[in-house]
Amino acid sequence: MKLSLNWIKKYVNLPKDLTMTKLSYDLTMCTVEVEDTVSIKKNLNGFVVGRILTVESHPDADKLRVCKVDVGDTEPSTIVCGGVNLAPNQLTVVAVPGAMVSWHGEGDPVEIKPSKLRGVMSYGMICSSNEIGLEDLFPTTQPAEIMDITNFDIKPGTPVAEALDLDDIIIDIDNKSLTNRPDLWGHYGMARELAAIYGCQLKPFDKVELPKTTDGLSIVIDSKECCARYAGLVVKNIKNVPSPFAIQSLLWRVGVRPISLPVDITNYVMLATGQPTHGFDRNHIKGSIHVRRAFAGEKLELLDGDILTLTTEDLVIADEKAAVALAGVMGGKLDSILSETTELIVEVANFDALSIRRTAQRFDLRTEASSRFEKGIDPQRVDDALAVIVSMLNREFPEAEISGYVDNYPMPLEEAKIRVSLTFLRKRLGKELSEQQIDKYLKSLGFEVSFNGDDMLVKVPSWRSTGDISIPDDILEEIARLMGYENFEYVPPTVVLEKAINQRGACMERALREYLAFRCGMQEIFTYPWIEDEYILASGADMSEMLELSMPPAPNESHLRSTLVPGLLKSVFTNLRYYESFRIFELTQIFKNNNYHSINETLEMLPNMARHLGAAFVGNDARVLFREAKGVVEHMHTGTQMEKLSFAQIQKPMWAEDKLWINILLNDELVGEIGLVSPKVTRDAGIRRSVTVIFELDVEKLKPLASRNNVFTHLPEYPRVNFDLSITFDESVKWSDIYEVAFKTGSVKDVRFIDEYRGSQIGENKKSVTFRTWIGSDEGTLTSDKIDLVTKQIAKKLNKRLGGDIRGL
Amino acid sequence: MLDKLKDNMQSKENTVEKNDLFARLKEIKTAGIEKINATFLPEELQLVRANLIGRKGKVTEILKSVGQASPEVRKILGQAANEVKQVLSDAIDQHNEHLLDSLSSVDGEVDITLPGIVPQQGGLHPITQICYDLNDAFNSLGFEVFSEPEITSELFAFDNLNFPPEHPARESMDTYWIKGHDEGHGAKRLCMRPHLTGASVRYLQQHGAPARFVYPGRVYRNETTDARHERAFFQYEALIVDKDFSFASGKILVKTILDKVFGRDVKVRMRVGYFPFVEPGFEIDMLCLVCDGAGCKVCKHVGWIEVMPGGTPHPNVLKAAGLDPSVWSGFYINIGLDRLVMMRYGVDDVRLFHSADLRFLNQFK
Ligand SMILES: [Zn+2]
């Protein structure tokens, strides 16, 4: 919202030495955020008033003229100009050589230099209103029109800002910070706030006489729940003429386009008091004015030309025959102030915030009026607006007659009173305040305070009582912000030391992430919880158990992930554009439309939201990737203080191919799966090269340990020896069987897989498995005979039980 | 010794033959030492040894010829030859040791400017990194880490937090409601949580007061996305609840976060701000680190950058948490982690955080 400093100063005498920097800072700290302050004068620097003396044609250019212009110097300047409305004696705006000017009222200033135009030297430029950012105040009627200010009787050479009385500063307030302060949506409200901050006097509005008669005006509020008050004035003998420049200029400064005097007055009132008003052509209003809900399908043509089809939720102003305005949003085109209007009905009303917001939203119509009503204006403000409007009418239309007045205010606003304990204030502020201090701060904001022992009773002014101030904490805030938050020094809180924090769940989750990232060399990723349907379909996940968003980000992204696999597939797909081989993981919640449960409130039934861990290993060798993934899961407990996981083939994941998959178990419970993504899934996910192994784990099922559970084993007293064996088996023989046999041989302490080999030397359906065996004894060093013996025993057992074949033994 | 001997010899009447032998011995010694020191490989040095003092070495040859000399010369000459042998042998041993000490175990030439071998290339997401850094800082102040699930109800997302019934955030255009659970009100109406604050009431209901805890996590808003706006983003919220806690003590939460993230003492200011769940509420600014408050492009020439909202829990929030607001008070702060990471590293597009793009993520090791 834009505010004019000069306008604010009509209502309050600010301290003489107050700089704009200080004002912005103080307002930002205590009240609302000042986004920017703009000096209009500064933007008009370098432009002066010039009087055109002569206009002659240019010797070499049809469209250019050579003018003599008085710009306040002893000699007239020669200026070449292409303006179509140049005329002798005209007053206009000139940028003279040496001046630094900002074109269009913005950007960095540039210097004006004399220049030759088609062979004729030109000393300066005659400007159009558009070139100096004043097109809204001085609209052009044709292209290449220079700004004409002949109506202003000003000496040539006068700076334009001074000539047009535009020495003002525009304060731009962040609208978001104003949301909760409906009292600040006008210049008077901001003046009141500044008066409180700087302890200055606020001027009251003019006292005005309102007519005692209705002059036939009748107002019926049919929808009392949406309209607390509706006042109307009948004004006769007005003309739809342009406003005086001073009024136009004020409106223009704060971003409102001047239209005509009657309309500008209604806008002026709104900008002054924050109370929107509206004018109807009295001759168009048949019978009583009604404030009612629209009929279903009722049509209304608005001032902007849009024809709306209304709903029964929309509030309208209507006469006996039809709706004449969309209440609190915009007037109707047919019955508002028209060019031939001579008699007015001026509406000053209070409408319900929510109703106005809904309607404005429904039709995507945010107007100056609706954005004010939406914040919740107090009905008392109607009186302020009436005072301003009557004095404006008296001044601007001396010949007009205010002949009728009706104020329909069925339920006057109740005074809000808050009881506050002084002890509460002192404790929460951390400061001792006297009753006088408290009284001073609150009074300056319009509150009335009475003290009674530890209690004080605070009467809230009407303009702060529509939701903003209702509890003792609000009063505390009012005092604290006026004292200045910077004046409260940091007070270190005192704490009671209790038990140390021990959060196993949170620790395990972090340990898991750090294990994967730092021990396993994997990169953590985040993906959205909603996923494109194509990846869900590719993964074969069951859509029927997924939750859906009512209004998804995109039509094909309505499902919430019930598994991390689709997101991993997508991430693999996107990263394969830049990488051939990588490892990624994500640890986050999944969502399923089942297992509804309560965590705080029995009525609140929340769906299944287990945390899952998903990982993808991408490269070229499926066997190696699979073993890598398995290794990461197999050793997970070592880095994360949780119970050890085991493996078994129980149920193939939907997305895995037939051979390379295995389930992950914890104490016989299925907790996850590892698998090579099948060719079909790979293809459906758009992945063209590389193979992907994925694992997914239900983190909720993992069991964090209370402490580390490693055990120490004595170092062997006698050295251990190891030897490698390569033995050929049928393909059907599994490593786990080989291990079992070898490990259960006497003196064997450890057996580890090294390698497997397939090839023509070995024969079809055969493989050669190489493994390393450690043997040792607690009684003494093993002799070479003993080592030979154990080696032979292992080979023999593997041969007998598993058909293993070792040459040379 | 040898020179003295030679002088002795020359003072006497000696044969040419004897003089020749002494001269040769001297020459062998000088050349030998030179040769030894010019040798760079231990194997070569063994050849040099054989050549000089080996069985067929030059000194050995002279020693062998000593027998043919006259008895008075024989003794002196033998002594001299043995002396030379010893000197050479010592020189060889010494040089051999030197060669062995300075020997490289690398064959051939090396290029020491080759890059190092990259260690395991894993990493945490930058949001996780900053989150864990903050958890550590708050843990050290005795704060617990709490989390609630990402789907919550209107009761916890809005009702408990003093959002008025007609607040715009409750409408479907701002919040992601869950299909089939979007009709009712309060506990029955489910959504992707639009902020973290609801979790504070969950925690307080479960644990009571006094309480100190943080609850980081991801939140969701139905927005049009661009480089500055996201539908899913991360927040970090901390709450302290204690008896008669003054808002002036709340600064500790703000400072803990900013000092940790920026690694230095960051100046902050608290100014008026309005949020339904706090009273009084604050907008908290930090002094612009780029210009130190002088005003620059980054801070839009204000000198301060808005970093987080905060404030004292609204009495209605405390009541919803089952606490008596006349006894308990406290302070909230809430900071956007995405924006913090963006400020910290100069990341220019918030959508990168959910892109899973390794070209981006690999930069945060
Ligand atoms: Zn700056």
Side-chain angles (χ1 to χ4, degrees):
Chain A
M1 186 184 59
K2 288 190 166 81
L3 293 163
S4 143
L5 183 64
N6 288 0
W7 199 337
I8 289 173
K9 284 178 174 169
K10 283 174 192 259
Y11 308 122
V12 63
N13 290 319
L14 293 173
K16 290 266 177 298
D17 55 351
L18 181 64
T19 63
M20 273 322 287
T21 315
K22 175 145 176 60
L23 185 143
S24 298
Y25 186 85
D26 292 337
L27 213 47
T28 298
M29 291 301 284
C30 307
T31 311
V32 285
E33 194 178 335
V34 176
E35 283 194 320
D36 202 4
T37 56
V38 177
S39 159
I40 302 179
K41 186 182 170 187
K42 210 170 132 198
N43 288 347
L44 290 172
N45 261 354
F47 297 109
V48 299
V49 175
R51 182 183 295 280
I52 298 173
L53 303 174
T54 59
V55 181
E56 281 163 22
S57 50
H58 190 287
D60 289 320
D62 286 349
K63 291 199 168 161
L64 294 179
R65 301 279 177 279
V66 181
C67 307
K68 295 277 181 217
V69 186
D70 176 2
V71 292
D73 298 335
T74 44
E75 289 293 315
S77 306
T78 303
I79 301 176
V80 179
C81 178
V84 293
N85 57 332
L86 293 162
N89 239 357
Q90 191 178 28
L91 282 181
T92 187
V93 173
V94 179
V96 291
M100 300 291 292
V101 304
S102 299
W103 294 114
H104 308 287
E106 49 196 40
D108 291 330
V110 290
E111 194 188 335
I112 298 292
K113 289 174 182 156
S115 60
K116 210 171 244 185
L117 286 173
R118 293 285 189 96
V120 179
M121 276 306 286
S122 178
Y123 298 88
M125 287 179 71
I126 299 175
C127 305
S128 70
S129 58
N130 166 278
E131 283 168 325
I132 64 172
L134 295 181
E135 62 273 27
D136 282 343
L137 275 182
F138 297 91
T140 51
T141 53
Q142 52 186 325
E145 199 177 82
I146 62 153
M147 186 162 145
D148 187 340
I149 49 172
T150 315
N151 289 340
F152 295 76
D153 187 19
I154 325 153
K155 242 181 78 205
T158 314
V160 167
E162 188 185 315
L164 301 179
D165 194 19
L166 288 174
D167 183 1
D168 197 357
I169 288 165
I170 304 308
I171 305 165
D172 202 347
I173 310 281
D174 173 31
N175 281 354
K176 200 184 88 219
S177 72
L178 275 163
T179 309
N180 202 44
R181 292 292 301 271
D183 62 309
L184 298 180
W185 282 82
H187 286 80
Y188 192 77
M190 198 58 83
R192 183 163 46 210
E193 188 73 13
L194 289 168
I197 293 174
Y198 296 115
C200 332
Q201 203 61 45
L202 181 72
K203 293 174 195 165
F205 287 116
D206 296 345
K207 282 260 176 296
V208 294
E209 284 277 313
L210 289 165
K212 302 275 183 285
T213 55
T214 62
D215 194 14
L217 177 62
S218 148
I219 293 161
V220 183
I221 302 177
D222 300 298
S223 297
K224 293 198 170 48
E225 72 287 358
C226 289
C227 177
R229 185 175 185 185
Y230 197 111
L233 288 174
V234 181
V235 188
K236 286 178 174 162
N237 204 19
I238 58 113
K239 276 199 207 92
N240 202 346
V241 291
S243 297
F245 181 75
I247 292 180
Q248 292 196 22
S249 159
L250 271 184
L251 297 188
W252 164 79
R253 287 174 213 187
V254 296
V256 174
R257 197 164 53 89
I259 294 168
S260 69
L261 184 51
V263 177
D264 291 352
I265 288 176
T266 62
N267 283 331
Y268 182 97
V269 174
M270 173 182 69
L271 295 166
T273 63
Q275 167 70 52
T277 63
H278 185 70
F280 295 103
D281 185 315
R282 192 195 182 181
N283 296 324
H284 281 246
I285 304 297
K286 299 282 173 268
S288 300
I289 282 183
H290 284 265
V291 184
R292 63 162 169 85
R293 304 277 192 177
F295 308 120
E298 190 172 3
K299 296 261 196 290
L300 174 62
E301 182 176 5
L302 296 180
L303 276 169
D304 65 3
D306 272 3
I307 299 175
L308 303 185
T309 305
L310 305 172
T311 74
T312 54
E313 306 240 312
D314 301 313
L315 195 68
V316 295
I317 309 304
D319 65 3
E320 299 292 338
K321 46 181 218 314
V324 294
L326 190 56
V329 182
M330 200 185 277
K333 186 169 193 164
L334 304 177
D335 310 299
S336 295
I337 300 169
L338 306 164
S339 57
E340 68 273 15
T341 298
T342 57
E343 292 190 12
L344 285 180
I345 293 174
V346 181
E347 162 198 295
V348 188
N350 184 280
F351 301 114
D352 174 61
L354 184 57
S355 164
I356 300 298
R357 195 179 84 212
R358 290 262 156 84
T359 295
Q361 249 172 22
R362 189 170 301 126
F363 300 109
D364 195 18
L365 259 179
R366 290 283 159 90
T367 60
E368 292 275 347
S370 75
S371 55
R372 284 173 171 80
F373 279 122
E374 274 182 23
K375 308 296 180 295
I377 301 175
D378 64 294
Q380 297 291 97
R381 210 171 321 171
V382 168
D383 296 324
D384 295 349
L386 286 168
V388 176
I389 209 159
V390 169
S391 61
M392 284 286 281
L393 286 167
N394 289 340
R395 192 166 70 235
E396 304 300 332
F397 285 117
E399 67 287 359
E401 182 200 349
I402 303 173
S403 60
Y405 168 58
V406 171
D407 183 5
N408 197 338
Y409 190 10
M411 285 275 287
L413 183 74
E414 258 183 68
E415 273 184 353
K417 285 183 179 155
I418 302 171
R419 202 172 288 283
V420 187
S421 136
L422 292 177
T423 316
F424 161 84
L425 274 186
R426 284 175 189 139
K427 271 189 181 164
R428 295 287 167 88
L429 289 171
K431 273 190 198 298
E432 290 290 322
L433 281 184
S434 68
E435 290 184 2
Q436 285 78 3
Q437 282 173 300
I438 293 171
D439 191 55
K440 189 193 93 189
Y441 287 126
L442 290 177
K443 216 179 221 164
S444 72
L445 289 164
F447 294 81
E448 285 172 37
V449 193
S450 56
F451 295 91
N452 183 7
D454 186 50
D455 257 6
M456 61 178 199
L457 193 65
V458 183
K459 209 177 104 191
V460 183
S462 61
W463 59 86
R464 297 297 301 279
S465 64
T466 44
D468 174 19
I469 306 277
S470 54
I471 55 169
D473 305 70
D474 296 326
I475 301 297
L476 172 124
E477 179 178 31
E478 292 301 301
I479 296 170
R481 70 185 183 87
L482 276 195
M483 286 175 73
Y485 286 126
E486 286 166 306
N487 297 321
F488 291 85
E489 312 78 35
Y490 169 62
V491 186
T494 48
V495 297
V496 180
L497 278 184
E498 284 168 300
K499 273 209 306 201
I501 295 167
N502 180 12
Q503 297 185 278
R504 268 190 245 168
C507 285
M508 187 187 73
E509 186 178 317
R510 178 168 177 169
L512 271 173
R513 285 202 170 96
E514 291 181 343
Y515 164 76
L516 295 168
F518 305 139
R519 291 210 189 181
C520 306
M522 306 180 70
Q523 175 61 49
E524 184 183 24
I525 60 162
F526 289 143
T527 61
Y528 297 106
W530 45 79
I531 10 161
E532 288 97 325
D533 289 347
E534 52 179 299
Y535 292 103
I536 302 176
L537 293 170
S539 76
D542 182 3
M543 271 197 185
S544 72
E545 64 169 16
M546 292 190 177
L547 286 164
E548 272 188 89
L549 296 175
S550 300
M551 290 182 67
N556 65 335
E557 288 174 298
S558 70
H559 291 90
L560 296 179
R561 56 178 162 217
S562 63
T563 153
L564 301 181
V565 173
L568 286 169
L569 289 174
K570 186 185 174 186
S571 305
V572 169
F573 168 74
T574 52
N575 278 300
L576 273 172
R577 260 179 280 173
Y578 311 104
Y579 299 91
E580 291 180 334
S581 160
F582 51 90
R583 285 105 186 86
I584 50 180
F585 75 93
E586 180 168 22
L587 197 170
T588 188
Q589 284 174 20
I590 56 98
F591 308 91
K592 280 187 184 174
N593 193 10
N594 59 32
N595 186 23
Y596 282 85
H597 62 287
S598 299
I599 48 177
N600 282 70
E601 169 79 32
T602 47
L603 281 175
E604 186 194 47
M605 297 300 284
L606 297 173
N608 180 350
M609 286 184 273
R611 283 167 305 158
H612 274 205
L613 168 61
F617 300 74
V618 181
N620 293 315
D621 189 333
R623 289 169 195 273
V624 171
L625 290 171
F626 183 81
R627 283 190 57 214
E628 218 183 287
K630 192 180 174 193
V632 167
V633 177
E634 214 163 24
H635 296 274
M636 201 170 264
H637 66 285
T638 57
T640 56
Q641 280 194 51
M642 62 179 215
E643 285 184 25
K644 196 177 171 182
L645 300 165
S646 58
F647 302 94
Q649 265 192 336
I650 294 168
Q651 190 186 5
K652 186 182 86 64
M654 295 287 288
W655 43 265
E657 56 96 86
D658 286 339
K659 283 189 205 160
L660 271 178
W661 63 271
I662 203 161
N663 296 106
I664 307 167
L665 291 91
L666 177 63
N667 304 331
D668 298 332
E669 191 190 4
L670 214 60
V671 299
E673 52 217 12
I674 310 176
L676 173 65
V677 179
S678 75
K680 180 179 176 351
V681 171
T682 309
R683 196 171 56 244
D684 288 352
I687 300 169
R688 306 228 172 277
R689 52 197 172 85
S690 298
V691 286
T692 305
V693 168
I694 281 180
F695 78 71
E696 187 172 23
L697 264 174
D698 184 344
V699 175
E700 304 299 336
K701 290 185 174 156
L702 303 181
K703 298 237 162 57
L705 299 169
S707 175
R708 294 185 192 277
N709 71 336
N710 323 35
V711 252
F712 168 75
T713 42
H714 256 289
L715 305 183
E717 233 162 293
Y718 300 99
R720 284 184 182 166
V721 290
N722 67 65
F723 52 86
D724 294 353
L725 287 174
S726 295
I727 301 183
T728 305
F729 295 96
D730 282 348
E731 283 285 11
S732 62
V733 175
K734 300 283 174 234
W735 163 252
S736 54
D737 303 328
I738 300 169
Y739 173 84
E740 196 74 3
V741 170
F743 189 69
K744 284 195 176 149
T745 308
S747 303
V748 172
K749 301 291 179 194
D750 201 2
V751 180
R752 287 188 206 169
F753 175 84
I754 290 180
D755 205 358
E756 62 176 11
Y757 175 80
R758 291 172 178 81
S760 51
Q761 304 98 303
I762 289 168
E764 227 167 280
N765 291 324
K766 299 268 186 193
K767 62 182 173 187
S768 164
V769 178
T770 305
F771 57 94
R772 184 164 297 171
T773 307
W774 277 261
I775 58 173
S777 160
D778 297 334
E779 273 99 50
T781 308
L782 293 180
T783 61
S784 60
D785 284 354
K786 174 73 178 167
I787 297 167
D788 263 7
L789 186 68
V790 176
T791 313
K792 281 192 178 118
Q793 272 175 347
I794 293 172
K796 216 163 142 192
K797 272 164 79 177
L798 286 172
N799 176 268
K800 205 168 151 200
R801 299 200 196 158
L802 303 172
D805 172 24
I806 179 166
R807 272 143 235 187
L809 264 174
Chain B
M1 173 76 187
L2 194 68
D3 292 333
K4 208 172 118 203
L5 185 78
K6 209 170 85 189
D7 289 346
N8 281 345
M9 296 299 293
Q10 272 167 353
S11 69
K12 295 186 178 173
E13 291 235 328
N14 289 322
T15 61
V16 174
E17 183 200 348
K18 283 160 203 158
N19 274 339
D20 276 359
L21 278 174
F22 278 114
R24 234 176 101 57
L25 208 49
K26 190 182 176 189
E27 195 188 301
I28 288 169
K29 191 188 112 182
T30 315
I33 298 226
E34 227 166 75
K35 183 97 190 184
I36 287 162
N37 288 333
T39 305
F40 291 103
L41 294 172
E43 304 84 65
E44 267 179 45
L45 194 61
Q46 292 317 310
L47 284 179
V48 173
R49 176 193 288 274
N51 227 347
L52 292 171
I53 51 176
R55 259 189 294 149
K56 285 182 179 165
K58 286 171 185 161
V59 181
T60 319
E61 293 295 325
I62 290 179
L63 269 171
K64 278 180 189 161
S65 64
V66 164
Q68 290 146 30
S70 57
E72 72 270 28
V73 174
R74 195 187 298 164
K75 195 182 167 201
I76 302 168
L77 194 58
Q79 203 177 347
N82 272 323
E83 249 170 327
V84 169
K85 187 179 177 183
Q86 190 57 46
V87 166
L88 290 175
S89 172
D90 287 351
I92 288 167
D93 286 349
Q94 201 187 336
H95 191 64
N96 191 40
E97 205 167 301
H98 170 73
L99 283 184
L100 288 174
D101 284 353
S102 55
L103 199 65
S104 170
S105 37
V106 178
D107 293 334
E109 290 303 309
V110 288
D111 179 357
I112 52 145
T113 68
L114 290 179
I117 291 167
V118 185
Q120 288 273 52
Q121 275 301 283
L124 294 175
H125 193 284
I127 297 277
T128 306
Q129 292 177 18
I130 207 159
C131 179
Y132 286 168
D133 285 353
L134 293 178
N135 284 357
D136 289 344
F138 276 103
N139 263 164
S140 73
L141 292 173
F143 282 64
E144 279 198 11
V145 179
F146 179 68
S147 61
E148 67 161 1
E150 292 184 353
I151 289 179
T152 188
S153 66
E154 189 180 20
L155 174 67
F156 279 88
F158 298 108
D159 299 349
N160 286 340
L161 304 179
N162 194 43
F163 279 71
E166 69 282 3
H167 195 279
R170 292 176 186 254
E171 282 165 29
S172 51
M173 38 261 292
D174 288 339
T175 299
Y176 285 120
W177 298 97
I178 306 294
K179 205 172 185 173
H181 302 276
D182 48 355
E183 293 296 328
H185 277 289
K188 296 265 174 231
R189 195 176 175 215
L190 301 184
C191 61
M192 307 291 287
R193 61 175 172 193
H195 47 68
L196 295 173
T197 318
S200 64
V201 174
R202 286 194 197 280
Y203 180 94
L204 292 172
Q205 284 184 353
Q206 291 165 18
H207 297 84
R212 297 195 292 273
F213 57 106
V214 297
Y215 38 113
R218 181 163 34 192
V219 301
Y220 303 93
R221 303 253 170 97
N222 191 350
E223 280 214 61
T224 309
T225 60
D226 59 33
R228 301 251 135 212
H229 298 90
E230 245 297 20
R231 299 182 172 116
F233 50 98
F234 295 87
Q235 292 188 334
Y236 198 93
E237 196 158 305
L239 175 60
I240 184 162
V241 173
D242 216 324
K243 281 185 181 148
D244 300 319
F245 192 89
S246 163
F247 62 81
S249 303
K251 235 182 207 174
I252 180 74
L253 307 186
V254 182
K255 294 284 287 172
T256 301
I257 290 185
L258 295 179
D259 292 0
K260 181 80 186 177
V261 171
F262 295 101
R264 59 190 259 198
D265 184 43
V266 179
K267 211 177 156 212
V268 299
R269 70 172 188 187
M270 285 158 56
R271 60 182 164 85
V272 161
Y274 173 78
F275 309 96
F277 52 93
V278 284
E279 186 66 54
F282 301 94
E283 285 286 5
I284 297 161
D285 300 338
M286 64 179 226
L287 197 70
C288 177
L289 297 176
V290 178
C291 65
D292 260 331
C296 70
K297 235 183 181 163
V298 172
C299 59
K300 293 185 196 136
H301 304 282
V302 180
W304 295 90
I305 295 178
E306 192 176 305
V307 280
M308 62 183 108
T312 305
H314 192 283
N316 291 348
V317 176
L318 291 170
K319 275 183 218 159
L323 300 174
D324 180 354
S326 68
V327 176
W328 299 102
S329 167
F331 206 82
Y332 271 117
I333 54 97
N334 176 303
I335 193 158
L337 289 182
D338 305 65
R339 196 168 152 245
L340 208 55
V341 175
M342 288 171 86
M343 274 166 64
R344 175 71 179 71
Y345 297 100
V347 175
D348 57 4
D349 192 335
V350 67
R351 293 166 296 190
L352 285 169
F353 294 120
H354 274 88
S355 67
D357 191 330
L358 293 174
R359 293 171 303 161
F360 169 69
L361 296 170
N362 283 339
Q363 297 181 32
F364 304 91
K365 295 297 184 193

